[in-house]
Amino acid sequence: MDLKLAGSRALVFGSSSGLGRELAAVLSEEGARVIVTSRDRQRAEKACLAVRGEGVAVGDLTQPGDASQMVVKAATQLGGLDIVVINTGGGKPGGILKTDGFDDAAYQSMLRPVLDISRTSAAYLKAGRNSRLVMLTARSVVEATVELALSSVLRSGVAAAARSLALELAPEVNVNVIVTGQFATPALDRFEQSLAAESGTDVAKIHQTHIANIPLGRVGTAREFADVVAFICSPRASFVTGTVIRIDGGAVRGF
């Protein structure tokens, strides 16, 4: 299927590795002009070359001001923006009672940059064509888990912001939230290693527990994730806005 993305101007945050990089690759394959981002210029440029992107925007989303500057730089390089995908870092694993002192860091990582990017990119997107604002979140938005309590709090704020923006930016911009399940990425490896260290459990056992909770019996691939998100970014999904879409192998038990 032709996603009709040829010539679209796309900015994908967190795209030097993992799910973000794979999404950047798929968008590029579909003909979009993609800006790759990272905190590290060398990593960004390496990823940009690999996915055949058009340029890079370097900055640290946890630092106030960086996110907005990256949006402006990307828009300047591309002559505007049609697609912005917000992909931020996570918070410290653990329950509310075990993460005391990390509230501000979680806000700076998961919610504040989303608001900054959304506000800065709004004018560009409203002036674009078939514009899309997509926010990548986590399972904790729709199903509480003690493993990721701070994520539940802050990423739920992201979903609330997206719902408001879907109304504020309509009809020029479609705004959606993607709930990511567990995929074979470096981020999942780091998360499982953190859980193993905290609980004194073997990493392999943590991984098998995660797989046991996924009805499809495996973690997903980055390409499976990217294909769906690329569709949501495309004109083919022109009547989809203000919604939360799960890509999780059926892991969430709710409706």
Side-chain angles (χ1 to χ4, degrees):
M1 177 186 291
D2 178 9
L3 294 183
K4 301 186 181 298
L5 284 167
S8 294
R9 299 160 297 181
L11 169 60
V12 182
F13 282 91
S15 47
S16 65
S17 67
L19 299 179
R21 175 168 169 163
E22 193 68 20
L23 175 58
V26 172
L27 292 174
S28 181
E29 290 169 12
E30 292 290 333
R33 301 165 58 202
V34 181
I35 297 296
V36 172
T37 76
S38 175
R39 286 176 293 185
D40 181 270
R41 178 168 295 278
Q42 186 174 4
R43 288 185 64 188
E45 291 177 346
K46 182 178 179 180
C48 184
L49 182 64
V51 306
R52 299 183 179 180
E54 187 152 329
V56 303
V58 179
D60 184 346
L61 295 185
T62 67
Q63 297 301 310
D66 277 22
S68 294
Q69 291 174 10
M70 292 164 78
V71 171
V72 173
K73 182 172 183 179
T76 300
Q77 291 181 76
L78 297 175
L81 292 170
D82 306 304
I83 298 168
V84 174
V85 179
I86 306 177
N87 177 26
T88 68
K92 178 178 173 58
I96 295 294
L97 301 181
K98 293 183 178 180
T99 53
D100 184 35
F102 291 91
D103 298 10
D104 186 61
Y107 169 72
Q108 297 295 339
S109 173
M110 288 184 279
L111 182 55
R112 184 197 48 73
V114 172
L115 300 176
D116 289 348
I117 293 166
S118 299
R119 290 171 178 139
T120 306
S121 64
Y124 296 112
L125 291 171
K126 286 177 75 69
R129 55 186 184 275
N130 298 312
S131 294
R132 305 287 185 264
L133 177 60
V134 178
M135 303 174 185
L136 308 187
T137 61
R139 176 179 175 177
S140 53
V141 166
V142 292
E143 185 174 71
T145 169
V146 175
E147 290 180 349
L148 292 168
L150 282 183
S151 176
S152 296
V153 174
L154 277 303
R155 293 200 191 277
S156 293
V158 171
R163 191 66 190 92
S164 179
L165 284 163
L167 300 174
E168 293 180 55
L169 297 179
E172 294 89 356
V173 186
N174 290 26
V175 184
N176 290 292
V177 172
I178 305 294
V179 169
T180 63
Q182 291 171 330
F183 292 86
T185 65
L188 178 60
D189 293 339
R190 292 191 297 271
F191 176 56
E192 291 180 338
Q193 289 166 7
S194 176
L195 289 178
E198 183 176 313
S199 63
T201 306
D202 184 72
V203 173
K205 290 183 178 179
I206 294 288
H207 187 66
Q208 287 303 314
T209 298
H210 285 160
I211 289 177
N213 289 325
I214 301 173
L216 292 186
R218 61 178 177 83
V219 297
T221 68
R223 179 53 62 116
E224 288 176 310
F225 171 85
D227 284 344
V228 177
V229 181
F231 172 77
I232 294 301
C233 289
S234 79
R236 297 286 190 181
S238 58
F239 205 56
V240 181
T241 193
T243 193
V244 174
I245 298 161
R246 301 198 313 257
I247 311 174
D248 66 356
V252 173
R253 296 303 199 265
F255 291 102

